[in-house]
Amino acid sequence: MIFCIAALFIFAIGLVVGREVLTLAEASYNLHSQFVETFFIFGCFVWFAGIPLLFFIAAWGIEGVAKEKDDGTLLILASKPIRRWEIILGKFLGLFFACLVLELVFLSASPLLLYFILKADVSVLQKILNLLPLMFFYGAIVSFGFSLFSVSLSTLAKNKIAAIIFISFLILLTFFGFPIIKHFTLSMYEKWGLHYIDLNYHLGNIYDSLISKERMPPYVQTFLGHATGIYDINSYLFDEELGTLKK
């Protein structure tokens, strides 16, 4: 619960800062609407189905089996008439469904925050509400993959702290490391084929393929292009028929 409140609180702070910037800039209705839509779509990728969620999975996933080892209760569980894979499956399912609950809370609260803090227009809120099922599905994909990886790592790791540090490094590399590498060393990134191991790039493609069903406007694509590299924002290749940036 504390984790959920903290994540929503930080999201709300971002909305308050955005509101003040829009007020100082005397933003027009169109600019205000674009900001609301962009903040939500980009925020869901980086925040609600991104960094906080993955750190939650890392902490609880590693704790799942590793804590049982440290406390000596894993041997007690193993002595019961239950298969070892059933123990691991139970840990995984518990973590996965906990993540789904978090996603439901995040996605249910975010439109309310947009409405009360940014005074989002009804038409913009309608677009956001149409995206919620797709956002939830994306969050479920991320939760499933990282929960499986985290619990698997917990069963293999001999040192709990080392496992948490490793998966935390992987999360930071995904959302900060690879975008920085792409931005400053694009030629090296392409030459060495780093996009094959760039998890941020692959997550961005999954996210884009889902929410593009609602046709993302170019200003949203620009933000995702900066964050993931899935759009060619340097040349700004524009598809006139679709009204979107080209990949």
Side-chain angles (χ1 to χ4, degrees):
M1 181 60 70
I2 296 176
F3 169 84
C4 186
I5 293 173
L8 287 171
F9 180 72
I10 295 173
F11 182 76
I13 290 176
L15 292 178
V16 171
V17 173
R19 182 187 64 190
E20 296 305 314
V21 171
L22 291 172
T23 301
L24 290 174
E26 298 181 349
S28 64
Y29 169 80
N30 286 337
L31 183 59
H32 185 276
S33 299
Q34 288 177 11
F35 177 82
V36 172
E37 189 175 359
T38 302
F39 194 95
F40 174 75
I41 294 176
F42 185 71
C44 282
F45 176 75
V46 175
W47 200 247
F48 291 146
I51 298 169
L53 178 68
L54 298 188
F55 273 111
F56 172 82
I57 293 173
W60 288 98
I62 297 298
E63 282 284 337
V65 177
K67 190 173 185 299
E68 300 280 4
K69 291 179 182 177
D70 293 342
D71 295 343
T73 54
L74 189 60
L75 292 176
I76 298 175
L77 280 174
S79 65
K80 302 293 182 181
I82 182 173
R83 298 180 181 88
R84 292 185 179 182
W85 66 266
E86 292 176 329
I87 298 174
I88 305 302
L89 180 62
K91 298 290 184 181
F92 162 71
L93 290 178
L95 178 59
F96 176 59
F97 284 114
C99 292
L100 294 185
V101 172
L102 278 178
E103 281 295 304
L104 282 174
V105 174
F106 288 153
L107 294 177
S108 299
S110 54
L112 295 175
L113 292 174
L114 290 171
Y115 177 76
F116 287 110
I117 296 177
L118 286 181
K119 308 299 181 185
D121 186 75
V122 175
S123 60
V124 178
L125 285 176
Q126 185 60 53
K127 290 181 181 179
I128 289 173
L129 291 175
N130 290 339
L131 286 171
L132 288 183
L134 299 174
M135 300 287 192
F136 180 76
F137 184 58
Y138 170 76
I141 293 174
V142 173
S143 298
F144 182 89
F146 270 84
S147 295
L148 185 61
F149 175 74
S150 182
V151 173
S152 300
L153 183 62
S154 179
T155 62
L156 298 174
K158 296 181 179 179
N159 188 310
K160 180 177 66 176
I161 302 300
I164 292 176
I165 291 174
F166 171 75
I167 199 169
S168 298
F169 171 76
L170 182 62
I171 294 169
L172 294 175
L173 180 65
T174 298
F175 287 96
F176 296 104
F178 277 115
I180 293 173
I181 293 172
K182 276 182 290 192
H183 183 74
F184 291 103
T185 59
L186 182 60
S187 59
M188 183 183 73
Y189 179 87
E190 295 176 344
K191 180 180 179 180
W192 291 0
L194 295 180
H195 59 279
Y196 290 112
I197 61 171
D198 185 352
L199 187 58
N200 186 49
Y201 174 77
H202 296 300
L203 289 176
N205 274 307
I206 296 172
Y207 190 69
D208 175 74
S209 65
L210 288 173
I211 65 176
S212 286
K213 297 179 185 301
E214 294 293 328
R215 187 179 296 180
M216 277 194 300
Y219 47 84
V220 177
Q221 292 176 319
T222 300
F223 272 87
L224 283 179
H226 279 294
T228 65
I230 60 175
Y231 289 103
D232 188 357
I233 59 174
N234 295 316
S235 60
Y236 287 97
L237 298 175
F238 192 76
D239 193 316
E240 297 289 348
E241 294 183 0
L242 297 177
T244 60
L245 294 178
K246 294 181 178 179
K247 290 189 175 182

